[in-house]
Amino acid sequence: MRFDRIKEKLEILADAAKYDVSCSSSGSKRSNKNKGLGNSDGMGICHSYTPDGRCVSLLKILLTNHCIFDCAYCVTRRSNDIKRAAFKVQEVVDLTINFYRRNYIEGLFLSSGIFKNADFTMERLIQVAKKLRLEENFNGYIHLKSIPGASDELMREAGLYADRLSVNIEIPTVSGLKKLAPEKDHSDFIKPMNKVKNEIIQYNSEKKLIKSTPKYAPAGQSTQMIVGVSGESDREIMLSANYYYKNYNMKRVYYSGYVPISNDPRLPSLGSQVPMLRENRLYQTDWLMRFYGFDVNELLNQQFPNLDVEVDPKLSWALRNQHQFPVDVNSAEKEMLLRIPGVGLKSVHKILQARKFRKLNYDHLKAIGVALNRARYFIICDGRGWEKQDLSASRIKSLILRNSAGKFRKEYSSQLSLF
C-alpha cells in the first residue's frame, strides 16, 4: 500500500464529504458478537452523544469525487476544476479497521460521487460494508448513502449490511431540482427511498414471526436538503420535509445551509453568507413538528411563509396566537403545555408529575427548568398575576429579546458593536 497516495486520497475525499451533514444516527442496535470489532448498540454517531454522555465519531469520506452529473450546487460536479480521487474498496475497508483499532473512530459514513452509473457506484458501496461485516467481523456503525436510481435489488442488499441508509433529496422542490440539476430526475431519488421503507416494514413484520430474521437498516433512513440555494420559502421546505416524514418513514430530515462554491448566476454569489441562522430555525421547526404536535401549516402559512429569524418558531407562533393564552400550568392539558414558549418536553413531564401533589408557582417552574424569561408572558400559575397584562406581541418580543442571549444574536441584532 502506498501510504502517501492513500493520505492524499483521504485528504481529498474527506474534505469533499464535509458538505453532507446527515451523518448522525440513533436507533441502531448491532451488538458485538463472535469477538468481532466494534459495537453500535445504543450509540449515536458523528457529533452525537451516547446516553452516558460519550461523544463518538466516524470516518466520513466519499468513495470517489468523480461524478457524471453537473449539478450547479455541488462541489464535485463534472465541470468543476478540482483534484479527483477514488478509493478502492479494500482501501476503505483497511482505513476503517485501522482507524478503529487506533480508537480514532467508532463507525463509517460512506458516500460517493456517481461514476459510470448508479448501480455501478452502489455496488461498490455495498462491497465495502459487506467486507467489513463478513470478512472483518466489524460490528460498528455503518451509514451508506443510497445512490439515486439504484436498483431495488441493490437497495435490499445494502440494508442487510448498513445500519442506516440515506438518499439526499438535495433540492426541496422539483422545480428547483430541474433548474439547478437538469440532468437528474426527481423520481430517481424517490425510488430507493420507497424500497427502503417497504423493506423496513417487511422486516418488522417478519421479525414478529421469526426472531432470526436478518436485520434491515435498523437505524432507518434519512435525507438532506440544501437551504438557500434555489429560492424556496421556509414553508415550501418544511412542507417537503413533512411529506418525506409521512410517506417514507424518515428518521431524520437534515437541513444544510448552502456554502457558495462558484460564480454560477443561478446561485448565491461567492462570499455570500451561509444561512446558518435560517438552518437553525428550520431544525427547531422540524423538532416542533415531530415532538410537540405542531402542524407545518400552524407554524408557516401563506401569510407567514418564512420563519422569524429573531425568535424561535414556537415563540413566533405564540405571539401570533395570543388568543390561546394565558395557559394555566396547574390545569392545562399536555398538548397545550407543549405549546408554551420556554417549556420543553422534559419540563412538561415534570409539571404533569409535580402538580399531582401541589399547585405550582414561579419558583417551582424555575426549579423544574422552565425558561421563565419567555414563558411568564404566556402562563398563569399559583403566584402573581399574568405577566402579559396589556402588552402587545411586538412589546413582548422586544422584552424577550432584550433579556435573552444566543449564539446567533449578533447576526440579526441592530445594536452597533463598540468593540
Side-chain angles (χ1 to χ4, degrees), residues 118-376:
D119 281 355
F120 184 85
T121 307
M122 195 68 212
E123 282 177 357
R124 276 143 189 79
L125 295 177
I126 294 170
Q127 284 178 28
V128 172
K130 193 171 183 178
K131 278 178 171 287
L132 284 169
R133 295 296 191 211
L134 302 183
E135 296 180 14
E136 302 293 342
N137 200 13
F138 181 72
N139 296 297
Y141 178 86
I142 297 178
H143 183 149
L144 292 184
K145 276 295 174 182
S146 306
I147 303 301
S151 68
D152 287 352
E153 292 77 12
L154 289 175
M155 294 311 304
R156 161 70 181 168
E157 188 176 14
L160 297 175
Y161 302 107
D163 294 282
R164 173 168 285 187
L165 296 168
S166 60
V167 53
N168 288 352
I169 201 66
E170 298 176 358
I171 304 299
T173 60
V174 176
S175 59
L177 186 68
K178 286 182 178 179
K179 175 185 175 183
L180 300 177
E183 298 172 311
K184 287 187 174 178
D185 190 330
H186 184 261
S187 62
D188 287 338
F189 294 89
I190 300 302
K191 182 182 176 183
M193 284 185 186
N194 199 49
K195 177 60 177 178
V196 173
K197 180 196 76 170
N198 291 335
E199 286 292 341
I200 291 174
I201 292 173
Q202 182 177 341
Y203 164 74
N204 290 333
S205 177
E206 292 179 353
K207 183 68 175 176
K208 295 176 183 177
L209 302 174
I210 307 172
K211 290 186 177 181
S212 60
T213 301
K215 291 181 180 179
Y216 185 88
Q221 66 173 327
S222 61
T223 191
Q224 175 179 314
M225 301 179 189
I226 304 173
V227 176
V229 68
S230 48
E232 290 88 2
S233 67
D234 292 336
R235 181 170 184 262
E236 288 176 301
I237 292 171
M238 295 315 301
L239 283 172
S240 182
N242 190 54
Y243 172 81
Y244 291 112
Y245 276 126
K246 288 187 174 181
N247 291 281
Y248 299 99
N249 299 335
M250 288 288 163
K251 284 286 187 178
R252 287 291 304 273
V253 174
Y254 293 85
Y255 312 92
S256 176
Y258 175 67
V259 180
I261 57 172
S262 73
N263 284 314
D264 192 306
R266 296 170 292 175
L267 304 172
S269 60
L270 285 174
S272 299
Q273 189 173 13
V274 179
M276 294 181 64
L277 178 54
R278 184 184 182 193
E279 177 187 309
N280 184 57
R281 295 295 182 225
L282 289 170
Y283 275 116
Q284 291 173 327
T285 304
D286 184 285
W287 201 259
L288 292 178
M289 289 164 48
R290 291 193 294 137
F291 299 110
Y292 285 76
F294 281 89
D295 185 87
V296 63
N297 291 306
E298 293 181 282
L299 299 166
L300 294 159
N301 51 47
Q302 292 184 349
Q303 185 180 359
F304 300 98
N306 292 303
L307 297 166
D308 188 336
V309 295
E310 293 187 321
V311 296
D312 67 82
K314 191 202 283 192
L315 176 55
S316 179
W317 173 85
L319 291 172
R320 299 197 308 266
N321 293 273
Q322 292 187 73
H323 61 280
Q324 298 198 36
F325 299 96
V327 172
D328 188 341
V329 297
N330 288 300
S331 60
E333 297 292 329
K334 177 181 179 181
E335 291 72 21
M336 199 60 207
L337 291 174
L338 285 169
R339 291 175 174 244
I340 302 171
V343 180
L345 289 167
K346 291 183 179 179
S347 294
V348 167
H349 176 73
K350 291 177 181 178
I351 288 171
L352 293 173
Q353 295 300 312
R355 73 185 190 184
K356 294 177 181 178
F357 304 98
R358 63 159 301 155
K359 285 187 175 294
L360 305 178
N361 58 34
Y362 284 104
D363 290 333
H364 297 136
L365 295 175
K366 184 177 181 180
I368 282 172
V370 172
L372 289 177
N373 66 315
R374 282 171 284 163
R376 64 182 181 176

Side-chain angles (χ1 to χ4, degrees), residues 31-101:
S31 300
N32 200 323
K33 55 187 178 181
N34 300 326
K35 297 181 179 181
L37 291 172
N39 190 327
S40 65
D41 190 7
M43 69 164 59
I45 302 296
C46 190
H47 306 299
S48 291
Y49 293 85
T50 60
D52 60 2
R54 291 181 299 113
C55 179
V56 293
S57 59
L58 57 86
L59 175 60
K60 182 181 178 183
I61 55 174
L62 300 184
L63 184 63
T64 181
N65 63 346
H66 290 275
C67 194
I68 62 174
F69 292 112
D70 200 31
C71 307
Y73 48 81
C74 185
V75 71
T76 63
R77 67 189 184 280
R78 184 178 65 239
S79 63
N80 201 13
D81 185 18
I82 58 172
K83 275 189 174 183
R84 305 285 177 172
F87 279 121
K88 296 177 182 177
V89 168
Q90 191 60 46
E91 288 174 341
V92 178
V93 172
D94 292 341
L95 277 172
T96 304
I97 297 302
N98 287 325
F99 275 36
Y100 178 82
R101 284 177 171 155

